[in-house]
Amino acid sequence: MDPARQLQAPQISWLGTHAVLFEAPGEITLENQQRIWALADYASGLAAIRGVVPGMNNLMMVFGPQMSGGEQLFDRLRQQWQRGESKTFSGQVIELDVTYGGEPGPHICDVAEHTGMTIQEIVQRHTEPLYPVYALGSHPGYCYLGNMDPQLATPRRASPVQSIPGGSVSIGGVQTGVSASPGPSGWNTIGRTDFVFFDAHATPPVRLQPGDSIRFRVSRVLA
C-alpha cells in the first residue's frame, strides 16, 4: 500500500477479547466525528456487535462471546468508513456563564505564560467559538468538545490536581472541557460555571448529548 494512503487508513485494535477500538485517521474534526457517528449507527446494526461507544475520533465496539470471523468484519468496517457517510444532529445550543481567573480559574496565568497572551485575550478567544459536543465520557455528563482556538493550546499539567470542583472549565492540549463533577484533573483550569451537567435524579440524567453545542459567556474576570 502507498505509505501516504496507509497513514490515512483507520486503525482497528483489540481491547481484551470482546471489544475492539476503531480509530479514525487524520485530525480531530467535526467532519471526522460525524463519520464516527454514522459508523456507530452502521455497526450497531451488525449481528455480531452488542454495543457501540463513540469517542473522540474513535469508536469502541463490544462483541458477543461467540463472535468469529473478526478480520472479515473489520474489513466491512473499513469499507464502510471509506464510503464517507456522515451523520448530523440538530442539537441544542447551551450558553454557559463562566467566571474566569481568580479562585475559580487558578491556572489561567499558566495558560497566559505558555501562550504569551493576556488574560483578557484568553477569555476573548475562549468565548468566541461555538463548541460542538463530540462525545460523552471520562465521567457521567462530561462532554468532549471540539473547535477550540488552536492558539489557546496548552500542555497538560506536569502534576495533576487531586480535585477540582464540578463546573471547572479547563484546557488540556488542543481541547477544552467542563468537569461535570468534582475529581482529579491534569488540565489547566481557567474558570468555572454553575451549569449542572449530570443529575442522577433527572430524566434524562445527562443534560447534553453528542451533536449539542456549548457557547461560553463571560460572567466575570477575576484578577
Side-chain angles (χ1 to χ4, degrees):
M1 177 183 292
D2 178 72
R5 290 191 61 190
Q6 190 171 13
L7 287 174
Q8 292 300 311
Q11 301 296 313
I12 304 179
S13 55
W14 285 98
L15 300 176
T17 57
H18 294 147
V20 298
L21 184 68
F22 179 101
E23 297 179 86
E27 301 291 330
I28 298 176
T29 63
L30 181 58
E31 179 183 7
N32 251 10
Q33 195 66 26
Q34 289 170 340
R35 291 177 66 181
I36 287 288
W37 294 337
L39 186 67
D41 285 351
Y42 171 80
S44 63
L46 299 177
I49 297 179
R50 287 189 169 181
V52 297
V53 182
M56 286 283 285
N57 225 36
N58 61 60
L59 176 67
M60 185 179 77
M61 290 158 281
V62 180
F63 298 91
Q66 305 302 321
M67 198 276 285
S68 61
E71 283 306 318
Q72 291 89 339
L73 182 57
F74 299 165
D75 286 341
R76 292 178 65 183
L77 293 171
R78 294 187 188 98
Q79 291 168 9
Q80 181 65 19
W81 177 260
Q82 293 303 327
R83 291 190 178 98
E85 295 183 5
S86 64
K87 179 179 182 179
T88 59
F89 295 95
S90 297
Q92 60 182 331
V93 177
I94 299 293
E95 295 188 340
L96 305 186
D97 293 324
V98 178
T99 297
Y100 287 91
E103 184 273 332
H107 306 140
I108 197 167
C109 291
D110 296 333
V111 175
E113 182 179 356
H114 177 79
T115 61
M117 299 179 190
T118 65
I119 290 177
Q120 288 292 344
E121 206 175 351
I122 290 169
V123 172
Q124 178 182 348
R125 286 177 179 265
H126 192 259
T127 54
E128 281 179 349
L130 183 65
Y131 296 92
V133 177
Y134 282 8
L136 303 179
S138 178
H139 56 272
Y142 182 80
C143 302
Y144 287 99
L145 306 177
N147 209 30
M148 187 182 77
D149 186 330
Q151 298 299 316
L152 292 175
T154 303
R156 299 185 184 195
R157 304 190 66 76
S159 298
V161 178
Q162 291 188 352
S163 183
I164 60 174
S168 294
V169 180
S170 303
I171 290 175
V174 298
Q175 294 177 251
T176 189
V178 187
S179 296
S181 59
S185 174
W187 289 25
N188 302 281
T189 301
I190 62 172
R192 191 182 306 157
T193 177
D194 293 331
F195 185 82
V196 177
F197 286 83
F198 177 79
D199 181 353
H201 303 291
T203 304
V206 176
R207 294 285 302 276
L208 280 84
Q209 298 292 332
D212 292 339
S213 298
I214 287 175
R215 187 181 297 281
F216 297 112
R217 300 192 307 186
V218 182
S219 175
R220 291 182 297 164
V221 179
L222 303 178

